[in-house]
Amino acid sequence: MAMAVIIDGKKISQQIKDELKEKTAALRAKGKTGALAVIQVGEDPASSVYVRNKKNACAYIGIESLAYELPEETKEAELLKLIEELNQKTEVKGILVQLPLPAHICEDKIIQAIDPKKDVDGFHPQSVGAMTIGEKGFLSCTPAGIIQLLKRSGIEITGKHCVVIGRSNIVGKPMALLMLRENATVTITHSKTKDLPKICKQADILIVAMGKPQYIGAEYIKEGAVVIDVGIHRDENNKLCGDVKFEEASSIASAITPVPGGVGPMTIAMLMNNCVQSIEEG
């Protein structure tokens, strides 16, 4: 069998950002503008990279970004106060708190403090509820990005069996809901699932978000399946890798996302999409 088609997340995310850049310019011409507030607590190196990427994406599409870099020891009450101030600022159309937060701050409390109309990450219970019943609201960026990857790669979703590995609130659960919305038949698996390889092998589209480096190999993948790898890790040689054994999987799959350059860039493109949506509706 021929090697799998590599789904180029960099290229597709660039298309989306270019579309958003035009849209932002058109909105600005109508007097509609807004800023994204990005809050980072502490100096986690991975978080710093993500925050920088988000600021660069804002600059590219023409949205102002406001950076709030707070020390590691910031108290929960201080962070809540800052969010409340940003909720009140009309020019701030989106509020993003970079996760993970230091252990002494309750993430759920922080997420719930953000005004749902400014919840561009799509993590607020109101956003999640709206997505569940198909109402308008901000979609969680990584799952929404995966839908765009599939659609813009010409991969049919309707009627396909999609298996999602992982049930996190950030990827697994919303991913399953969005695939359902696109008329896939969805199975959600997780660490307690019995006979995982057997279930995964039934998937036409396998979405892997389990957080275990290079765990999923040939025995999990049906010939010709589409494999989407959401994981991001560093291997023993400090090279970036995903949850999937890429070489092994790409000899069986019909299409596959690489790590890096697959799902990652799409998350930021969809965050920008949510920001433009909030400016448009604001």
Side-chain angles (χ1 to χ4, degrees):
M1 179 170 169
M3 286 290 278
V5 171
I6 308 289
I7 299 173
D8 188 345
K10 274 202 185 119
K11 192 173 119 200
I12 295 171
S13 71
Q14 191 58 49
Q15 290 169 356
I16 292 172
K17 285 191 295 195
D18 287 338
E19 290 163 16
L20 292 171
K21 189 176 180 175
E22 281 183 30
K23 204 167 176 183
T24 307
L27 287 167
R28 197 183 305 109
K30 291 182 193 161
K32 286 198 153 195
T33 60
L36 170 67
V38 184
I39 304 171
Q40 184 182 356
V41 184
E43 288 173 8
D44 175 66
S47 289
S48 299
V49 172
Y50 294 137
V51 165
R52 192 169 63 240
N53 290 343
K54 287 166 187 179
K55 288 183 200 162
N56 291 344
C58 281
Y60 183 81
I61 69 166
I63 292 177
E64 190 191 348
S65 63
L66 309 168
Y68 296 87
E69 278 142 18
L70 311 178
E72 182 82 28
E73 60 277 5
T74 301
K75 291 186 171 61
E76 184 176 273
E78 297 173 76
L79 181 52
L80 287 167
K81 185 169 173 280
L82 172 59
I83 290 170
E84 192 39 50
E85 285 166 12
L86 295 170
N87 281 341
Q88 302 303 327
K89 283 192 174 166
T90 49
E91 72 276 15
V92 172
K93 295 289 191 265
I95 301 171
L96 186 150
V97 179
Q98 186 61 44
L99 304 178
L101 287 166
H104 67 277
I105 299 178
C106 170
E107 286 189 358
D108 287 343
K109 211 185 224 177
I110 300 305
I111 288 167
Q112 290 178 31
I114 297 170
D115 180 344
K117 291 197 275 301
K118 300 187 179 192
D119 168 41
V120 287
D121 261 330
F123 293 162
H124 191 286
Q126 190 174 314
S127 306
V128 179
M131 176 185 61
T132 305
I133 59 176
E135 285 194 354
K136 220 167 144 49
F138 294 115
L139 298 179
S140 189
C141 301
T142 301
I146 291 168
I147 297 290
Q148 287 299 318
L149 272 183
L150 294 167
K151 288 186 165 178
R152 289 171 186 248
S153 300
I155 294 162
E156 180 70 49
I157 303 175
T158 296
K160 293 289 178 64
H161 184 194
C162 169
V163 174
V164 180
I165 312 181
R167 52 173 162 180
S168 73
N169 291 339
I170 291 179
V171 182
K173 288 179 197 164
M175 190 71 249
L177 286 164
L178 290 184
M179 290 302 281
L180 202 52
R181 186 188 280 195
E182 297 296 334
N183 302 317
T185 300
V186 183
T187 302
I188 308 175
T189 65
H190 43 80
S191 58
K192 304 282 189 288
T193 298
K194 289 196 169 70
D195 211 348
L196 187 62
K198 186 179 167 201
I199 294 172
C200 292
K201 239 185 150 77
Q202 298 166 20
D204 303 310
I205 301 172
L206 181 64
I207 300 175
V208 188
M210 65 194 308
K212 289 187 180 174
Q214 297 181 312
Y215 188 86
I216 298 295
E219 70 280 16
Y220 290 84
I221 301 164
K222 176 168 84 172
E223 182 102 14
V226 173
V227 178
I228 305 287
D229 189 350
V230 187
I232 185 143
H233 315 276
R234 289 201 177 271
D235 66 12
E236 59 279 8
N237 309 318
N238 208 30
K239 267 188 68 184
L240 287 172
C241 65
D243 288 349
V244 175
K245 295 174 183 165
F246 183 81
E247 300 305 322
E248 214 173 280
S250 52
S251 65
I252 306 170
S254 61
I256 189 168
T257 59
V259 177
V263 173
M266 296 302 295
T267 300
I268 292 189
M270 298 320 287
L271 172 67
M272 294 300 113
N273 183 61
N274 283 353
C275 290
V276 173
Q277 187 184 321
S278 72
I279 291 170
E280 204 171 9
E281 290 166 5

